[in-house]
Amino acid sequence: MFAITMLYGQRIQAIIMLRNIDVSLRRLKVLRDNARRALIETIRSFGDSSRDPTPEVDRLLEYFWIQPTNLDPYGIVAKIEHFMNLHDERLRAEVGALAPKADRTQVVNLENLAEVGLALNTIYRIVRHFYLFGKKTMSIFIIYQLEAQLPQIIQEAEAYASGMQAFQLGQPIGDGAGSLVAAKFMYGTEKWVIAKDTVASELSFEGRRLIVLKAEGPGANVGKIGEALTKILEENMGRISLVIMVDAGMKLEGEETGGVSEGIGAAIGGIGVDRFKIEETATKFGVPVYAIIIKESLQDVIAPMKKEIYAGVEEAVNRVRRLIRERTREGESVILVGVGNTIGIGQ
Amino acid sequence: MEERGRTLGLGSLMTFIILALILLFFSIFLIYRSMTAYVQGDLPVSFSYLIFSLMGLILSSYFLMHLKNARLRAAKKVPSVFTMVECLQCGFKNIRSFQKGDYVLKRAEGCPKCSQSMLITSIYAEAEQKP
Ligand SMILES: [Zn+2]
């Protein structure tokens, strides 16, 4: 018995770990297949009944975009933005062509659904690659690495999967918390489109001029917040006393969903293009940028919005009011930015 | 979306449970045989019965535990989503299940009290309920 453990212990361990990975891999496959089926069904409901969208959907699910090289990082943000825009436009055009009966909101939602499917497919393919590679080489180190990362990978995949329902039906998601705060200020005022998929409105709040920005709802837009904010700051020649950004933020284990916290800085996620732009212009004009975060877990971000998050939104609205009162005087101008995917949230 | 996760069909689930239970009862029976053999003074027979019954017990409990995990996974369901409509005139509130086309801050159907159009103030997912 002892000799067997000595000689084959590592091999036995590798086999046990591979079995565990196999179970997770099958789970990932189920999630991917569900997303694919949901995408096909939804596209079919908006498209020609005579045409089968399956081959096109399979092509979309393997879509990729290559990040620009950072070998020479000068000007990389503009490059990233350019290629990211291209990717988004191409995906939207493809989805739009497949679903000619869908209106603008539904096309944007479909685009997001396709993104979810794409992400799940990529996760599945990469995990499968390392699983098969580990199985082929029986290298304990490759298997160890995969096994160690799996819980996080599965969590991420489940988060994506929980977003499918919302994107299919147009329900607000946790990420929209920031947008909802902005929408509550915007409601009932006149709005104009300030950048692609982004709206702005102006109102007066206790003697201050308040300019509110958010992505255009109720489609699944995130808008071009960086561009819009830069535009407003430049139009006003920096005569803005305060910028307040509200966004959904990552909650740590043990913290409460819907909790609100405040800080300094550009509260906006994504690859960093918007953050770069906001930081650049805010620094140029010397405008203070305050951040308010509504906390939620990774799973909540693209799942249908929870009740607790609405409580957080109310709290954030109150904090915004308090910040404006305390940090600005009457007659000054303030910009409020609601960051996040505004699916299922109008304005 | 259907149930999330890999779940067993109902038929195979039942056979699984029955097999595990048979194994369990057989193990208990073996313990009884082992005890009677011990009382009769037949130590080797008693000992081998004991070994087999322990193995059976471990196996059957392992199966049943596995089953519990499978059931837990099956219980995870898609959350149900509700829409809250409010009348800004008279404060009337109504919660109904989400309908396609609903979005927050959309003008909704007329208020049953004062027939002004109401406003959708929130669309939220109710926390998953576990039995
Ligand atoms: Zn009423």
Side-chain angles (χ1 to χ4, degrees):
Chain A
M1 191 70 186
F2 184 67
I4 290 172
T5 338
M6 280 290 284
L7 288 172
Y8 296 105
Q10 218 174 47
R11 213 179 165 75
I12 293 166
Q13 208 175 357
I15 290 168
I16 290 170
M17 278 194 288
L18 276 173
R19 267 195 55 92
N20 278 338
I21 296 167
D22 184 42
V23 171
S24 302
L25 189 65
R26 271 186 233 173
R27 174 115 190 80
L28 288 175
K29 187 172 187 300
V30 168
L31 292 178
R32 195 272 312 257
D33 290 344
N34 281 347
R36 178 173 168 271
R37 202 166 48 229
L39 191 57
I40 291 171
E41 272 168 20
T42 324
I43 283 178
R44 202 171 266 155
S45 70
F46 291 125
D48 291 322
S49 45
S50 57
R51 215 166 102 220
D52 182 24
T54 310
E56 261 82 29
V57 167
D58 284 336
R59 191 167 54 81
L60 276 184
L61 287 181
E62 299 245 336
Y63 222 82
F64 60 86
W65 77 284
I66 303 165
Q67 277 202 27
T69 171
N70 56 6
L71 219 55
D72 178 9
Y74 178 76
I76 195 173
V77 176
K79 289 182 206 162
I80 292 176
E81 189 183 17
H82 174 63
F83 285 105
M84 214 167 62
N85 284 347
L86 266 177
H87 168 78
D88 290 349
E89 275 160 28
R90 177 85 194 272
L91 202 60
R92 191 176 294 190
E94 296 255 3
V95 170
L98 282 175
K101 282 187 215 146
D103 62 27
R104 244 186 86 213
T105 303
Q106 286 157 341
V107 169
V108 181
N109 294 357
L110 267 177
E111 184 199 335
N112 276 260
L113 193 62
E115 292 276 12
V116 168
L118 218 157
L120 285 171
N121 192 31
T122 310
I123 292 173
Y124 169 68
R125 282 165 55 216
I126 289 173
V127 172
R128 185 182 56 185
H129 166 76
F130 282 108
Y131 167 72
L132 291 175
F133 192 59
K135 206 171 178 181
K136 201 195 268 172
T137 55
M138 267 320 222
S139 158
I140 193 104
F141 300 105
I142 290 165
I143 301 169
Y144 258 139
Q145 274 184 28
L146 185 56
E147 164 104 358
Q149 286 177 41
L150 258 182
Q152 221 166 347
I153 293 173
I154 293 274
Q155 207 177 32
E156 204 175 313
E158 302 233 355
Y160 276 118
S162 60
M164 271 164 19
Q165 180 198 358
F167 289 129
Q168 253 181 309
L169 300 171
Q171 295 162 345
I173 55 175
D175 186 46
S179 292
L180 185 53
V181 172
K184 291 208 166 196
F185 280 92
M186 262 189 187
Y187 181 68
T189 62
E190 203 185 312
K191 280 132 301 218
W192 69 91
V193 176
I194 187 158
K196 190 181 169 238
D197 304 329
T198 316
V199 287
S201 85
E202 194 178 316
L203 56 134
S204 95
F205 173 80
E206 298 186 2
R208 285 97 168 153
R209 187 166 74 112
L210 179 62
I211 301 167
V212 189
L213 285 179
K214 80 182 267 293
E216 188 177 9
N221 288 314
V222 288
K224 299 262 174 256
I225 297 292
E227 194 186 320
L229 187 58
T230 305
K231 215 183 224 171
I232 292 181
L233 280 172
E234 267 164 7
E235 272 171 13
N236 288 277
M237 300 297 287
R239 277 193 295 275
I240 300 285
S241 310
L242 183 65
V243 173
I244 304 173
M245 302 190 71
V246 189
D247 193 9
M250 195 56 66
K251 141 185 126 70
L252 298 174
E253 289 292 342
E255 288 182 322
E256 223 168 289
T257 304
V260 176
S261 54
E262 284 172 50
I264 298 290
I268 189 161
I271 214 157
V273 172
D274 290 285
R275 213 168 81 203
F276 175 82
K277 284 190 174 176
I278 293 166
E279 286 165 357
E280 185 104 328
T281 14
T283 309
K284 185 174 150 199
F285 292 112
V287 179
V289 180
Y290 284 25
I292 296 176
I293 293 285
I294 300 159
K295 290 185 202 167
E296 47 192 78
S297 70
L298 183 66
Q299 284 96 321
D300 296 332
V301 172
I302 52 177
M305 204 187 274
K306 279 186 184 165
K307 231 176 175 176
E308 298 92 310
I309 297 174
Y310 280 94
V313 166
E314 284 305 318
E315 168 69 15
V317 167
N318 289 334
R319 299 260 191 131
V320 169
R321 290 197 179 120
R322 209 201 63 214
L323 264 180
I324 296 175
R325 270 183 217 121
E326 287 176 2
R327 298 279 157 223
T328 62
R329 284 186 296 273
E330 284 189 24
E332 291 185 328
S333 301
V334 182
I335 303 177
L336 169 66
V337 186
V339 180
N341 191 319
T342 188
I343 184 167
I345 301 167
Q347 57 263 327
Chain B
M1 258 192 296
E2 302 98 297
E3 289 170 342
R4 305 215 251 129
R6 207 157 52 103
T7 54
L8 299 159
L10 198 66
S12 55
L13 202 75
M14 283 313 285
T15 39
F16 209 65
I17 293 174
I18 288 166
L19 275 174
L21 285 179
I22 288 173
L23 194 60
L24 189 69
F25 285 125
F26 188 62
S27 314
I28 292 167
F29 173 70
L30 282 181
I31 290 179
Y32 168 74
R33 287 296 301 269
S34 149
M35 267 156 57
T36 48
Y38 181 73
V39 170
Q40 282 159 8
D42 198 349
L43 271 176
V45 173
S46 156
F47 189 68
S48 54
Y49 273 140
L50 191 67
I51 291 281
F52 279 120
S53 70
L54 278 179
M55 272 167 68
L57 272 177
I58 288 166
L59 258 174
S60 60
S61 55
Y62 176 77
F63 278 148
L64 286 172
M65 250 161 63
H66 227 74
L67 210 69
K68 204 180 127 215
N69 287 341
R71 289 285 293 273
L72 269 179
R73 244 178 282 149
K76 213 174 171 188
K77 267 192 194 146
V78 171
S80 35
V81 176
F82 298 95
T83 299
M84 190 197 275
V85 279
E86 267 179 71
C87 173
L88 299 179
Q89 295 288 319
C90 65
F92 173 81
K93 273 186 195 178
N94 184 28
I95 295 172
R96 56 172 167 78
S97 58
F98 175 86
Q99 284 163 15
K100 230 175 173 176
D102 282 357
Y103 61 86
V104 179
L105 299 181
K106 180 196 184 188
R107 291 234 156 259
E109 61 267 15
C111 170
K113 276 189 180 167
C114 63
S115 70
Q116 292 279 332
S117 70
M118 296 195 289
L119 188 71
I120 296 178
T121 52
S122 61
I123 296 170
Y124 59 91
E126 197 67 80
E128 292 162 34
Q129 280 170 356
K130 283 185 185 112

